[in-house]
Amino acid sequence: MFEYAPAPESRSVVDIAGSYGLFIDGAFDGGKDGNVFKTVNPATEEVLAEVAAAGPEDVDRAVAAARRAFGPWSALPGAERAKYLFRIARIIQERSRELAVLESLDNGKPIKESRDVDLPLVAAHFFYYAGWADKLAYAGFGPDPRPIGVAGQVIPWNFPLLMLAWKIAPALATGNTVVLKPAETTPLSALFFADVCRQAELPPGVVNIVTGAGDTGAYLVQHPDVNKVAFTGSTEVGREIARAVSGTAKRLTLELGGKAANIVFDDAPIDQAVEGIVNGIFFNQGHVCCAGSRLLVQESVADELLVSLKRRMATLRVGDPLDKNTDIGAINSAAQLTRITELSEIGASEGAERWSPECTLPDRGFWFAPTIFTGVTQAHRIAREEIFGPVLSVLTFRTPEEAVAKANNTPYGLSAGIWTEKGSRILAVADKLRAGVVWANTFNKFDPASPFGGYKESGYGREGGRHGLEAYLA
Amino acid sequence: MKAPAEPGRLSVRKTYKLYIGGAFPRSESGRTYLVDGDNVALASRKDARDAVLAARSAQPKWAGATAYNRGQVLYRIAEMMEARRAEFTALGVRSSELSAAVDRWVWYAGWSDKIAQVAGGANPVAGPFFNISAPEPTGVVAVVAPPSLLGLVSVIAPAIVTGNTVVVLAAGPQVAITLAEVLATSDVPGGVVNLLTGRYAETAPWLASHDDVNAIDLTGVDHPDVAIELERAAAGTLKRVIRPVTGGVDFTADPGLRPMTALLETKTVWHPKGY
């Protein structure tokens, strides 16, 4: 085997300042009480920047700015709002290399994913929803759909810019204004997006970015002048938010956790399935709410499939996120690494068999080798709890009915995968799976024209497509 | 309100019982309460749990029935209700409301095989994939029903037309149980609609926190504090919640799609396209 030569992307395309303020009413300024936090590169633990931590007063100011902007913004003809969104989409395309490098630095994800997946999708979302802005009367939500008002949006650290696009694009297209809080470990791309808004000459107050930790998000969600709350993140926090908005007039959509089953039948093309399994669980270090974290293999092909899977896993390259050949980057934070490590140890202690390919992990930063557990039963915690890391649990089944029963045996219902050459089986199994997205003979595909969201405790509401407009229309 | 008795004849009174799994049991608690001179079953939390079990068992088959079949069943309800106008009239339901309730069943009957086309469809994704979104029922829905017959029909019909099954906490028990008798003699499979009479404040909290209930419709909750408590309880399992409308819903207006779409999930299925 030939070794790959290092192929690092240059970080000179991105200029990160030493410190960042909040983006409120079209301008950056520091938080009222001067609190800051540091955001680090998870691959090196190097501090990238200091960022203002927004307190209640800052959230008040941001919501007030969004409220002031709401009247004129919602009164703008849809075609004019569309042009702002098209401008934003174009600027994102033009700055996509810079934003991709920034995202990989702050998040730890491989550059080939931020460059080839995240950024193209981010631009595509703004393009897609731009086109809706002047066509809302045709969207099927009544002849005179109206915006709701100020949207408070809280997004996670796994796809910082993509989740921002999923939230902001439909909100602006429908005439709402937003206050968005990015995750505290990945605030930078949202702040760069604020600069994109300025470049697009978006009216001040239409988009406001408040950085901070969970308490900043809680202030925002509970703010009395926020009309709509959109959250993507853990099911636990989702529950808290659902409780917090109880009894208010706030509209709520939630995109929460998952424990997706990736079901491989005995007639599946094994090589394709293995690629899909690898993509399903190791894409973005497994930091994916719809990750295929439970592999259900038909017993008759389990041995053969595991041999291929292990062989494929041995070729995965773990390391520098900025290297273009890297498949698996850094775990986003020390806290997340601890959680993955703990749950993996529980998996082993509960009797599942643990395996990782040989790989050398860097000395500094947060790293976890791709891992699979075989001999997993439904009672094991690694088969029930979301690990949110590059850890796959392998279970087996004998009949399609058993596969469906095991796949549905979870409080979650975000996504699922089916691998079989038999079309009628795909349709029958897809019908029976209780999940919002079902990938057949593929996995982890996203598109702005395509609704995405969960059943059961994976949340409510859909993002993407015509369906994604509903959350922002009265 | 009672039908006038024939002179010289003692009328046979009707006992109003619960409607669970297609049968009319008394409350397992043995309790009744008095409404307009009738003893009506007072549902307990055990009755509510039994009703959820019945609704859950009936749900996959009801959702798996063809949309055409569900439409036929809903239309059959309208037929049976039309034939029983006198009974509802005797309970004091106005003729116009009765007509509107029958017509509402007919309206929703027609939606069964159309909602998937209106709320779903093929998505033009940028890549070699076939990708389709279709609405599916959310599962078992608990409903705190408003007191009027039209209100009751207007919360049950949109829930079941798409394949959900319901546990309804009914106000106006005689009217509700008379509707249950209509349902029982239509072609609605047992367990698809379950009706409990009694005090919703007693049973609703158990349904709101029940692990096997997927959504809760609070339209008929008339006390804001109770509504908040129920919504908060529903957050524990991330149930879909339909909040009560301030000032009440005008059930005579065109309902639109929301009563149906609020109880639907959207499933998107992807498949590669190629030779």
Side-chain angles (χ1 to χ4, degrees):
Chain A
M1 273 278 253
F2 293 110
E3 246 317 308
Y4 287 85
E9 171 68 271
S10 166
R11 61 183 284 181
S12 67
V13 293
V14 56
D15 194 8
I16 301 175
S19 71
Y20 286 91
L22 312 166
F23 185 67
I24 296 173
D25 212 8
F28 283 102
D29 66 21
K32 263 278 187 294
D33 48 16
N35 288 342
V36 294
F37 61 98
K38 293 180 169 65
T39 185
V40 303
N41 177 347
T44 60
E45 298 177 57
E46 162 206 4
V47 174
L48 293 170
E50 262 185 5
V51 180
E57 277 183 75
D58 302 311
V59 173
D60 281 349
R61 286 191 298 137
V63 172
R67 176 62 58 197
R68 280 193 303 276
F70 173 65
W73 178 249
S74 57
L76 214 56
E80 297 297 301
R81 284 204 307 274
K83 285 194 269 181
Y84 282 111
L85 287 166
F86 280 124
R87 273 189 190 180
I88 290 172
R90 271 281 184 262
I91 295 169
I92 287 168
Q93 286 181 321
E94 284 152 14
R95 294 178 66 176
S96 70
R97 184 167 167 194
E98 173 195 359
L99 292 168
V101 172
L102 175 75
E103 196 80 322
S104 282
L105 284 170
D106 203 18
N107 171 282
K109 63 172 69 199
I111 185 71
K112 74 173 183 192
E113 289 177 6
S114 53
R115 180 193 63 191
D116 299 346
V117 181
D118 293 41
L119 262 299
L121 276 172
V122 170
H125 270 83
F126 279 99
F127 266 105
Y128 177 81
Y129 279 110
W132 269 122
D134 55 357
K135 302 171 191 67
L136 296 174
Y138 301 94
F141 303 111
D144 188 24
R146 302 234 152 263
I148 295 170
V150 174
Q153 307 178 317
V154 178
I155 57 169
W157 45 260
N158 57 342
F159 292 92
L161 204 48
L162 183 58
M163 292 300 105
L164 173 148
W166 283 25
K167 297 278 180 294
I168 290 184
L172 297 196
T174 47
N176 298 274
T177 55
V178 307
V179 179
L180 177 127
K181 190 203 85 77
E184 68 267 35
T185 61
T186 55
L188 293 182
S189 51
L191 296 166
F192 274 58
F193 177 79
D195 192 48
V196 171
C197 293
R198 285 213 301 203
Q199 238 185 309
E201 292 169 21
L202 191 71
V206 172
V207 168
N208 305 275
I209 310 282
V210 290
T211 43
D215 51 354
T216 307
Y219 297 137
L220 177 57
V221 162
Q222 289 171 27
H223 196 288
D225 205 28
V226 163
N227 307 104
K228 193 246 153 20
V229 172
F231 172 74
T232 295
S234 74
T235 292
E236 263 329 296
V237 176
R239 264 191 253 281
E240 286 308 311
I241 292 174
R243 282 192 193 104
V245 305
S246 295
T248 69
K250 288 187 174 86
R251 294 266 295 271
L252 176 64
T253 46
L254 300 169
E255 298 287 356
L256 309 175
K259 193 73 192 173
N262 208 352
I263 308 170
V264 181
F265 288 96
D266 56 7
D267 65 343
I270 293 291
D271 289 347
Q272 276 179 42
V274 165
E275 284 307 309
I277 294 160
V278 166
N279 175 274
I281 186 62
F282 301 123
F283 175 64
N284 205 42
Q285 297 71 249
H287 301 330
V288 186
C289 49
C290 53
S293 55
R294 287 184 298 153
L295 175 62
L296 301 182
V297 198
Q298 197 149 17
E299 208 175 81
S300 48
V301 292
D303 292 344
E304 181 193 353
L305 182 124
L306 281 171
V307 169
S308 295
L309 178 60
K310 287 177 177 176
R311 188 170 57 218
R312 176 67 180 85
M313 282 172 66
T315 68
L316 290 172
R317 296 168 57 84
V318 184
D320 181 6
L322 285 190
D323 190 312
K324 291 164 198 157
N325 294 319
T326 291
D327 297 304
I328 298 182
I331 299 302
N332 181 250
S333 65
Q336 187 57 26
L337 180 59
T338 305
R339 177 174 165 79
I340 298 169
T341 308
E342 277 174 9
L343 274 163
S344 298
E345 278 158 12
I346 288 166
S349 72
E350 286 185 348
E353 191 180 326
R354 180 177 182 161
W355 184 88
S356 290
E358 273 186 40
C359 65
T360 323
L361 300 178
D363 305 329
R364 293 178 61 212
F366 316 126
W367 304 92
F368 197 87
T371 299
I372 58 171
F373 281 97
T374 50
V376 178
T377 74
Q378 296 184 84
H380 285 148
R381 276 183 67 186
I382 50 169
R384 309 178 66 82
E385 293 180 29
E386 189 177 36
I387 299 175
F388 224 67
V391 181
L392 179 68
S393 297
V394 185
L395 298 88
T396 59
F397 68 90
R398 289 185 180 175
T399 63
E401 290 74 20
E402 188 187 345
V404 167
K406 282 184 170 169
N408 286 339
N409 181 19
T410 166
Y412 296 113
L414 190 52
S415 65
I418 305 168
W419 297 85
T420 171
E421 287 287 61
K422 194 172 171 188
S424 59
R425 186 183 285 150
I426 290 173
L427 297 176
V429 173
D431 266 359
K432 292 193 178 72
L433 292 173
R434 300 280 294 154
V437 186
V438 177
W439 287 291
N441 293 331
T442 183
F443 210 91
N444 270 347
K445 291 291 178 292
F446 306 95
D447 190 277
S450 177
F452 179 95
Y455 282 43
K456 299 198 277 185
E457 297 189 14
S458 288
Y460 27 81
R462 292 295 178 272
E463 291 181 303
R466 182 191 73 86
H467 297 72
L469 295 167
E470 188 178 14
Y472 293 95
L473 290 174
Chain B
M1 211 178 285
K2 294 283 160 313
E6 253 178 76
R9 178 180 178 273
L10 193 65
S11 62
V12 177
R13 283 188 189 165
K14 182 154 96 185
T15 301
Y16 291 94
K17 299 192 282 186
L18 308 174
Y19 181 53
I20 299 175
F24 290 90
R26 292 193 164 82
S27 169
E28 64 77 39
S29 65
R31 301 178 306 168
T32 60
Y33 65 117
L34 201 62
V35 186
D36 298 335
D38 289 319
N39 283 309
V40 172
L42 181 60
S44 66
R45 69 188 206 219
K46 174 71 162 63
D47 294 320
R49 288 208 300 266
D50 291 346
V52 171
L53 204 62
R56 175 57 66 196
S57 331
Q59 203 271 329
K61 201 169 168 206
W62 178 241
T66 62
Y68 180 50
N69 180 231
R70 281 199 305 272
Q72 299 269 301
V73 171
L74 261 72
Y75 184 74
R76 179 71 178 155
I77 300 171
E79 286 181 353
M80 297 308 284
M81 208 162 148
E82 183 83 40
R84 286 176 175 245
R85 291 182 76 102
E87 272 184 63
F88 288 101
T89 308
L91 289 168
V93 180
R94 288 214 319 272
S95 175
S96 58
E97 189 190 356
L98 195 47
S99 302
V102 172
D103 292 353
R104 186 126 304 163
W105 282 116
V106 176
W107 192 73
Y108 276 114
W111 269 116
S112 70
D113 51 7
K114 295 166 192 73
I115 185 72
Q117 288 176 319
V118 174
N123 306 308
V125 297
F129 294 94
F130 172 69
N131 162 317
I132 191 163
S133 290
E136 290 193 344
T138 195
V140 172
V141 180
V143 181
V144 181
S148 69
L149 174 65
L150 181 58
L152 182 62
V153 170
S154 299
V155 291
I156 296 175
I160 65 170
V161 67
T162 53
N164 294 295
T165 55
V166 293
V167 175
V168 183
L169 307 180
Q174 289 98 327
V175 167
I177 296 305
T178 304
L179 177 66
E181 288 164 7
V182 168
L183 298 170
T185 50
S186 311
D187 301 320
V188 185
V192 170
V193 179
N194 305 277
L195 280 153
L196 304 175
T197 52
R199 292 186 281 267
Y200 75 74
E202 190 182 332
T203 37
W206 300 95
L207 294 172
S209 60
H210 197 297
D211 279 350
D212 210 23
V213 173
N214 301 93
I216 187 161
D217 178 349
L218 303 177
T219 300
V221 175
D222 46 16
H223 198 297
D225 291 343
V226 177
I228 295 172
E229 278 310 306
L230 292 173
E231 187 177 352
R232 201 165 282 156
T237 49
L238 291 158
K239 282 181 183 58
R240 282 80 181 123
V241 177
I242 298 178
R243 292 175 176 148
V245 176
T246 328
V249 183
D250 175 11
F251 290 111
T252 61
D254 179 345
L257 293 182
R258 287 260 161 113
M260 285 183 285
T261 55
L263 301 173
L264 291 173
E265 303 291 344
T266 298
K267 179 187 281 176
T268 302
V269 180
W270 290 68
H271 195 279
K273 223 164 34 173
Y275 295 105

